[in-house]
Amino acid sequence: MYPYAAPLRDLSFVLSEMLEHESLNLAPFAEVGPELVDAVLEEAAKLASDVWAPLNASGDRQGCSRLEDGSVTLPDGFAEAYQAYAEGGWNGIGVSEERGGQGLPEVVASSVQEMLHGANMALGLCPMLTAGAIEALAHHGSDELQQRYLARLVEGSWTGTMNLTEPQAGSDLSRVRTRAVPEGDHYRLFGQKIFITWGEHEAAENIIHLVLARTPDAPEGNKGISLFLVPKFLVNEDGSPGERNDVVCASIEHKMGIHGSPTCTLSFGEKDGAVGYLVGEAGRGLNHMFTMMNEARHKVGIQGIGVAERACQHALAYANDRSQGRTPPSRGGEPCTIGEHLDVRRMLLSMRARTDALRALALLCAQQLDVARHHEDEPRRREAQARAEVLIPVVKGFSTDQAVDIASLGVQVHGGMGFIEETGAAQLLRDVRIAPIYEGTNGIQALDLAGRKLQRDGGAALSLLIDEVQATAEALSAHSSLAPLGAELAAGAEDLRACAALVLEAGADAERGADAIQAYATPLLSLTGHVLCAWQMGRAAIIARAALDAGSDDDFYRRKLACADFAVRQWLPEGRAQRRVIEAGFDELLSVSLG
């Protein structure tokens, strides 16, 4: 596998030139300047490139193993690499200083997350789940729970997990059957959870499981589910890990990819019951868990982008190394690398343009989260929150779908060698394939966008985003060399506005509305992702063009212009075709016999 180089220049371009470090204008970050952000990203790049990335291939080959006592052995070097991460304070990078973190903006934390997942997705899953646990506990945990558990999670000496899925309850969490029996100031949990990422390991002193379960008198359905904190080791009065709790790893999964990440079946209560503590209100477990889920969904999108970036680098390095064929006579007819063949160049440009676009959209979403959490003006906070809530299913769903395709193109660039494990291209595809399934499948993300997010405000938040897309299209059209991009982007914005209106109208139909939303959700998500990503690349083109017109001789800006041209004029039309899909209706989906 080729070495990984953290994309510092691309990250800096988005943070400083596209987003103009807007998050740094918020009161909590008054003492955080661009120079500090650059220094943080440079140090994170060293950790990602020098410590985490070299373990990616070896971790994939070695994988995890479960011992007879239920403990799990990680691949060689993983525990030490995690410790280097925790000791460097990276786990608390986006957590407020009041809670023991570094107090940096979400947009910076997301940039660091991209580098870590690009370096080693299997290892990066561990802190990603911990970040979600921190969010859930900070928002919904009692003062006592926060005092006992939060600081150790923030510093990374303890890690967190999310325990939702059971054998009979996948996406339909109303079928959860794990029981929580009250006993004094705590509960005893009995049941089994499956697919628990980093559910058992020895890289940290303790593991804090957040578990969905039902109390004995709970009603059926979603309203009967509560959220519980279940530590691997019970915590002594002095805060140290004490007696082992009644939770054990019953097995680990043998997966398609992310072999270095232990995916566990956890058994609660094989003896007297696992001691757990109620988090938040009884019966509101799903509401509380969605605090963790929203955090995780955005980060899964970031995760996909990180792997897509590594696939870009890997494919380009191979294409520049692999000698095969000759250039056409018009270009000299000399022996060349495959990177000189135009079909390969088309694939490489497609990979790069899409990755750049996805990154810009994900970091825009992170910046909106900063504004929603910290802006002094309440209407601005509400507007940013509404915008972020529209963007999150797009960032998660569209980014991970595209990441799989980008990694697959990376295999294609390698030709037959891409199918051979030793090159490393196949691992990237195998690893990232789980991302469209994580934290709610991408079909669920599409339903969230078309159903909940679009319907609840009549499409107002999405409409404001489309207004900005149209404004960028007008700015592009005003520049002679960028006018073709402006025309295409304007057409995409019109398509998205028309389709959003159609989905809103169809969804309001008392008889067929639910079916309409299900039928239109995925095409709408695809169209939205294509248009919003093209919008970001249109903005990038304006910035790059201005820099070159001002005399810059930086090839970075020329590459950015080429990527923008590809994204808007060649990639966006693929998304615009979804308008015809939506306008075609969905009767055949209801009527056709499928076997």
Side-chain angles (χ1 to χ4, degrees):
M1 181 173 280
Y2 289 97
Y4 168 76
L8 289 173
R9 182 70 176 89
D10 289 286
L11 288 166
S12 176
F13 176 75
V14 176
L15 295 178
S16 63
E17 298 184 64
M18 294 185 70
L19 298 177
E20 297 180 316
H21 282 304
E22 183 179 336
S23 293
L24 302 188
N25 296 326
L26 299 167
F29 313 121
E31 297 182 7
V32 180
E35 298 82 6
L36 176 59
V37 171
D38 289 343
V40 167
L41 295 184
E42 287 173 6
E43 287 303 311
K46 293 176 184 176
L47 176 69
S49 301
D50 299 342
V51 180
W52 280 37
L55 299 173
N56 197 40
S58 61
D60 178 67
R61 290 191 299 269
Q62 184 180 358
C64 302
S65 57
R66 176 186 173 276
L67 305 181
E68 289 186 5
D69 63 358
S71 62
V72 170
T73 300
L74 296 171
D76 294 341
F78 267 47
E80 293 79 4
Y82 175 78
Q83 288 301 319
Y85 164 88
E87 291 168 5
W90 296 107
N91 205 58
I93 186 171
V95 182
S96 68
E97 292 180 305
E98 290 78 8
R99 298 192 184 281
Q102 305 299 318
L104 292 174
E106 178 63 38
V107 73
V108 177
S110 293
S111 299
V112 171
Q113 283 288 315
E114 186 206 313
M115 290 188 272
L116 294 173
H117 284 296
N120 193 322
M121 177 179 165
L123 182 53
L125 284 164
C126 179
M128 189 186 84
L129 270 296
T130 303
I134 291 169
E135 281 290 303
L137 198 56
H139 281 84
H140 305 296
S142 66
D143 290 342
E144 182 180 356
L145 287 180
Q146 290 185 20
Q147 290 171 8
R148 177 158 289 199
Y149 295 97
L150 201 52
R152 296 294 186 90
L153 286 168
V154 170
E155 71 184 21
S157 58
W158 297 355
T159 62
T161 72
M162 185 188 307
N163 288 243
L164 291 78
T165 307
E166 298 178 6
Q168 79 291 342
S171 298
D172 183 6
L173 293 174
S174 67
R175 302 178 66 186
V176 162
R177 290 290 174 264
T178 297
R179 295 182 297 117
V181 180
E183 182 181 88
D185 64 349
H186 58 265
Y187 291 76
R188 294 278 181 174
L189 272 72
F190 302 86
Q192 187 181 83
K193 296 290 184 178
I194 63 173
F195 302 155
I196 308 307
T197 302
W198 281 78
E200 171 60 31
H201 61 88
E202 301 296 332
E205 296 174 353
N206 205 351
I207 304 172
I208 309 304
H209 304 292
L210 291 183
V211 185
L212 292 181
R214 294 182 183 278
T215 55
D217 58 349
E220 293 296 314
N222 291 339
K223 292 184 179 180
I225 299 174
S226 300
L227 180 63
F228 298 89
L229 184 155
V230 182
K232 173 182 173 179
F233 293 102
L234 301 177
V235 178
N236 297 321
E237 288 300 319
D238 63 0
S240 63
E243 179 185 351
R244 179 69 188 255
N245 205 355
D246 188 10
V247 53
V248 64
C249 174
S251 66
I252 58 173
E253 302 298 339
H254 301 281
K255 308 182 296 292
M256 176 180 180
I258 54 169
H259 296 153
S261 169
T263 304
C264 302
T265 294
L266 294 184
S267 181
F268 296 84
E270 290 190 354
K271 298 176 182 176
D272 298 326
V275 174
Y277 304 91
L278 181 67
V279 177
E281 300 177 42
R284 290 181 56 82
L286 279 183
N287 304 75
H288 301 334
M289 184 65 86
F290 267 102
T291 301
M292 193 174 186
M293 289 281 281
N294 257 349
E295 168 78 17
R297 285 174 173 178
H298 181 255
K299 291 304 182 292
V300 170
I302 296 285
Q303 177 185 84
I305 296 163
V307 179
E309 170 63 37
R310 187 159 197 181
C312 287
Q313 294 184 22
H314 204 278
L316 179 61
Y318 182 81
N320 288 337
D321 277 352
R322 175 65 166 162
S323 295
Q324 193 80 23
R326 294 174 176 269
T327 59
S330 61
R331 288 195 281 134
E334 298 295 327
C336 66
T337 64
I338 62 171
E340 291 296 318
H341 298 308
L342 293 191
D343 188 59
V344 174
R345 292 175 70 82
R346 176 191 57 79
M347 288 190 284
L348 293 171
L349 183 56
S350 175
M351 295 170 70
R352 170 51 59 201
R354 287 188 282 169
T355 300
D356 286 0
L358 296 167
R359 173 185 294 116
L361 189 65
L363 293 182
L364 170 68
C365 181
Q367 181 231 44
Q368 291 300 302
L369 289 170
D370 282 330
V371 175
R373 294 166 182 169
H374 302 297
H375 201 283
E376 61 185 13
D377 182 57
E378 184 177 349
R380 281 291 307 279
R381 292 199 301 272
R382 288 199 302 266
E383 179 184 341
Q385 183 65 36
R387 178 173 296 196
E389 289 182 0
V390 168
L391 289 173
I392 282 174
V394 181
V395 169
K396 193 280 177 182
F398 190 67
S399 296
T400 55
D401 279 344
Q402 291 295 316
V404 171
D405 195 45
I406 290 165
S408 182
L409 268 183
V411 172
Q412 190 70 23
V413 168
H414 285 71
M417 293 302 294
F419 207 67
I420 305 302
E421 287 289 349
E422 283 77 7
T423 64
Q427 182 194 341
L428 299 175
L429 177 57
R430 288 188 290 99
D431 283 353
V432 81
R433 187 58 189 85
I434 187 62
I437 299 171
Y438 268 153
E439 310 307 341
T441 65
N442 284 356
I444 290 174
Q445 307 307 312
L447 288 170
D448 181 42
L449 176 66
R452 198 156 62 96
K453 303 297 173 55
L454 195 66
Q455 305 292 325
R456 71 181 181 185
D457 67 354
L462 180 59
S463 181
L464 289 175
L465 283 168
I466 298 172
D467 289 345
E468 292 196 37
V469 177
Q470 291 180 315
T472 298
E474 292 171 6
L476 288 163
S477 297
H479 197 294
S480 58
S481 67
L482 301 178
L485 280 68
E488 187 67 40
L489 185 59
E494 195 278 328
D495 287 339
L496 181 54
R497 198 180 295 278
C499 287
L502 192 155
V503 174
L504 276 169
E505 180 182 1
D509 187 295
E511 183 178 348
R512 287 162 58 88
D515 282 337
I517 289 173
Q518 285 209 22
Y520 295 149
T522 293
L524 180 67
L525 179 71
S526 178
L527 175 58
T528 305
H530 277 93
V531 171
L532 296 184
C533 281
W535 166 45
Q536 291 303 298
M537 293 309 289
R539 295 182 62 235
I542 292 170
I543 295 167
R545 183 72 268 166
L548 293 169
D549 289 346
S552 173
D553 194 35
D554 191 344
D555 278 342
F556 176 85
Y557 292 116
R558 295 187 182 89
R559 288 193 295 272
K560 200 62 72 174
L561 277 176
C563 287
D565 188 88
F566 184 95
V568 177
R569 295 208 292 162
Q570 298 193 47
W571 183 39
L572 175 58
E574 297 178 18
R576 290 186 58 202
Q578 298 304 309
R579 177 172 181 172
R580 294 194 291 276
V581 173
I582 292 173
E583 290 176 340
F586 59 93
D587 285 343
E588 75 284 355
L589 294 177
L590 295 171
S591 61
V592 68
S593 173
L594 299 176

